[in-house]
Amino acid sequence: MNNVEQTLSIIKPDAVERDLIEEIKSIFLKNNFSVKEFKKIHLNKEEAAEFYKVHQSKPFYDSLCSYLASGPIAVMILEGENVVSKYRELMGSTNPKDAKENTLRKMFGISIDKNSVHGSDSIENAKKEINFFFKN
Ligand code: CMP
């Protein structure tokens, strides 16, 4: 396989609350992403703020961090060919209203905040985000 990459996936509190972990994982497998690591955790607000610090200048930063810390999440390392961009395509637009058919956010997202899933936006950020949750 050429160009095997890893990326970080988060199933956010709204999707965990609706019991969507297994359904979303099965979609990853259908898309030939392998799940290399998996854990269910509940971040506190400080940890959420550290994870999302690239967004600290945004007006929605505080509510974004409160939301991520509002309930359990599932975090995974996904691996596969060009998985960073393929997973972003599978997630769809940030706002579920704009997401295309058959994308995760179209299928499961409720709002721009409760958009069910997160994925790293570049190979470089994937490394940082994987390291945040899965330090050796
Ligand atoms: P995510 O891919 O996890 O990255 C940052 C999150 O900020 C994004 O998904 C959205 O859920 C959330 N968010 C809230 N408001 C906005 C906004 N106005 N623009 C972009 N992202 C937003």
Side-chain angles (χ1 to χ4, degrees), residues 15-16 86 120 124:
V16 172
K86 282 188 179 164
S120 314
E124 194 193 339

Side-chain angles (χ1 to χ4, degrees), residues 11-17 40-43 68-74:
I11 302 182
K12 296 189 183 184
D14 65 277
V16 172
E17 194 176 73
K40 203 170 159 186
I41 52 168
H42 190 160
L43 296 181
L68 193 68
S70 68
I73 57 174

Side-chain angles (χ1 to χ4, degrees), residues 10 12 51-52 55 58-60 63-64 67-68 88 91 94 105 111-115 117-119:
I10 303 178
K12 296 189 183 184
F51 177 74
Y52 270 138
H55 295 297
K58 310 270 174 62
F60 54 86
S63 62
L64 173 65
Y67 171 61
L68 193 68
R88 287 186 68 79
M91 285 195 298
T94 306
R105 285 166 169 165
S111 64
I112 195 163
D113 306 293
K114 296 182 174 179
N115 62 357
V117 283
H118 167 85

Side-chain angles (χ1 to χ4, degrees), residues 9-11 21-35 38 74 76-79 87 90-91 104 117-118:
S9 167
I10 303 178
I11 302 182
I21 294 176
E22 288 311 315
E23 190 170 349
I24 292 174
K25 263 170 89 176
S26 75
I27 297 172
F28 292 161
L29 300 180
K30 271 189 219 142
N31 279 269
N32 295 319
F33 304 161
S34 52
V35 177
F38 173 95
M76 275 159 274
I77 299 177
L78 302 180
E79 188 177 279
Y87 176 46
L90 179 66
M91 285 195 298
L104 297 172
V117 283
H118 167 85

